[in-house]
Amino acid sequence: EVQLVESGGGSVRPGGSLRLSCAASGFSFDDYAIGWVRQAPGKERLGVSSIRSSDGDTYYSDLVKGRFTISSDRTKNMVYLQMNDLQPEDTAIYYCAAEKSSTWYWAQRVDYGMDYWGKGTQVTVSS
């Protein structure tokens, strides 16, 4: 059974940090670009960041470059998103999503569907 299970969401003040985790199972971890898609009420879905562990290929949305860092642990089939300097506009549900592709193609699939999705974790940034 394929599973993507997110954890690490919560509420922080502007300028704060959170670390999201995604536990992947049931598919070949190294063959997939795995990352984070966020959805906020009234806003378009955004591909935030992804990583393909087999070669270290990464993708970042321009909105998060310099603030967010994605990483993975191939021994544990885990993907992490370190989010620093969080701002209210980062408030959203963050979904872990996997596509058997490059990270560039992963970003193109955000609006059309990925191979696998998690159930999401809420991130709220508010003063």
Side-chain angles (χ1 to χ4, degrees):
E1 179 188 7
V2 171
Q3 284 193 313
L4 294 172
V5 180
E6 303 97 335
S7 60
S11 296
V12 295
R13 296 187 184 279
S17 298
L18 283 173
R19 187 194 195 206
L20 303 183
S21 299
C22 174
S25 61
F27 61 97
S28 181
F29 185 80
D30 281 355
D31 291 341
Y32 283 73
I34 304 172
W36 302 89
V37 176
R38 73 187 188 192
Q39 180 78 65
K43 293 186 178 180
E44 292 186 355
R45 189 179 295 176
L46 176 73
V48 175
S49 181
S50 66
I51 186 168
R52 188 169 65 184
S53 299
S54 60
D55 58 8
D57 181 33
T58 59
Y59 164 84
Y60 291 97
S61 165
D62 286 343
L63 295 178
V64 306
K65 280 181 181 177
R67 300 188 297 127
F68 293 10
T69 302
I70 196 166
S71 62
S72 67
D73 185 335
R74 298 170 73 182
T75 66
K76 297 179 180 179
N77 284 9
M78 296 288 295
V79 175
Y80 306 99
L81 186 69
Q82 178 66 43
M83 304 186 295
N84 297 329
D85 191 25
L86 283 160
Q87 300 300 318
E89 52 266 33
D90 296 315
T91 295
I93 299 175
Y94 284 69
Y95 297 91
C96 185
E99 177 75 16
K100 193 173 183 180
S101 69
S102 67
T103 59
W104 177 87
Y105 189 74
W106 177 95
Q108 313 312 307
R109 295 296 301 171
V110 166
D111 289 328
Y112 302 101
M114 302 267 188
D115 289 333
Y116 307 120
W117 290 87
K119 294 183 178 180
T121 185
Q122 176 72 46
V123 171
T124 303
V125 186
S126 174
S127 56

